[in-house]
């Protein structure tokens, strides 16, 4: 019953997010925009996103290895749940790691506390790298490349 309620809540949140995304353009405006998209770039973008999550799940499994042996699919599902929370809940960056640890604990039976430490360490490393790469990318993005 608990998982059905959670699934229903996630679908409700997704519907609410979709509503806010579409309200300015309207449903009629989405079709022409999708038809005008270059299929090659859409496929490339989807492939890059999928590859990012696959590598992230593999990295997370490596970080967890000292405390728990975790299969790839449960790790990926828990990771995607945390990405969803980080994406749709404002200021939830710190909660995503806890959601990830909780989701994986529910799937594997490992204690949440055992998974939370490496998960938060992984998240801290990811955040530090994001800030570092951002610090490097901002000056490059402001350079003018000849008009």
């Amino acid at each position: 019953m608990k998982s059905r309620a959670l699934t229903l809540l996630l679908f409700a949140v997704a519907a609410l997010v979709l509503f806010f995304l579409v309200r300015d353009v309207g449903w009629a405006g989405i079709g022409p925009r999708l038809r005008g998209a270059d299929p090659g770039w859409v496929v490339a973008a989807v492939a890059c996103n999928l590859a990012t999550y696959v590598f992230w799940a593999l990295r997370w499994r490596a970080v967890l290895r000292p405390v728990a042996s975790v299969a790839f699919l449960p790790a990926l599902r828990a990771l995607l749940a945390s990405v969803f929370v980080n994406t749709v809940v404002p200021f939830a960056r710190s909660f995503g790691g806890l959601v990830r640890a909780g989701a994986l604990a529910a799937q594997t039976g490992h204690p949440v506390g055992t998974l939370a430490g490496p998960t938060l360490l992984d998240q801290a490393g990811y955040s530090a790298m994001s800030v570092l790469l951002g610090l490097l990318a901002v000056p490059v993005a402001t350079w003018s490349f000849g008009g």
Side-chain angles (χ1 to χ4, degrees), residues 7-78:
T7 301
L8 183 62
L9 176 66
L10 292 177
F11 275 110
V13 169
L16 186 65
V17 168
L18 184 61
F19 166 77
F20 282 111
L21 289 173
V22 173
R23 74 178 177 176
D24 293 334
V25 175
W27 288 104
I30 292 177
R33 289 180 182 198
L34 290 176
R35 283 191 298 276
D38 182 346
W41 284 111
V42 172
V43 169
V46 169
C48 286
N49 277 321
L50 290 175
T52 298
Y53 293 130
V54 166
F55 287 121
W56 194 355
L58 291 171
R59 183 192 78 220
W60 188 42
R61 286 183 65 216
V63 169
L64 287 173
R65 193 170 295 133
V67 296
S69 177
V70 176
F72 175 75
L73 284 179
L76 182 63
R77 282 193 299 263

Side-chain angles (χ1 to χ4, degrees), residues 85-96 123:
V85 169
N86 284 343
T87 302
V88 301
V89 179
F91 309 108
R93 192 86 181 116
S94 58
F95 295 118
Q123 195 168 11

Side-chain angles (χ1 to χ4, degrees), residues 143-147:
W143 293 344
S144 173
F145 291 102

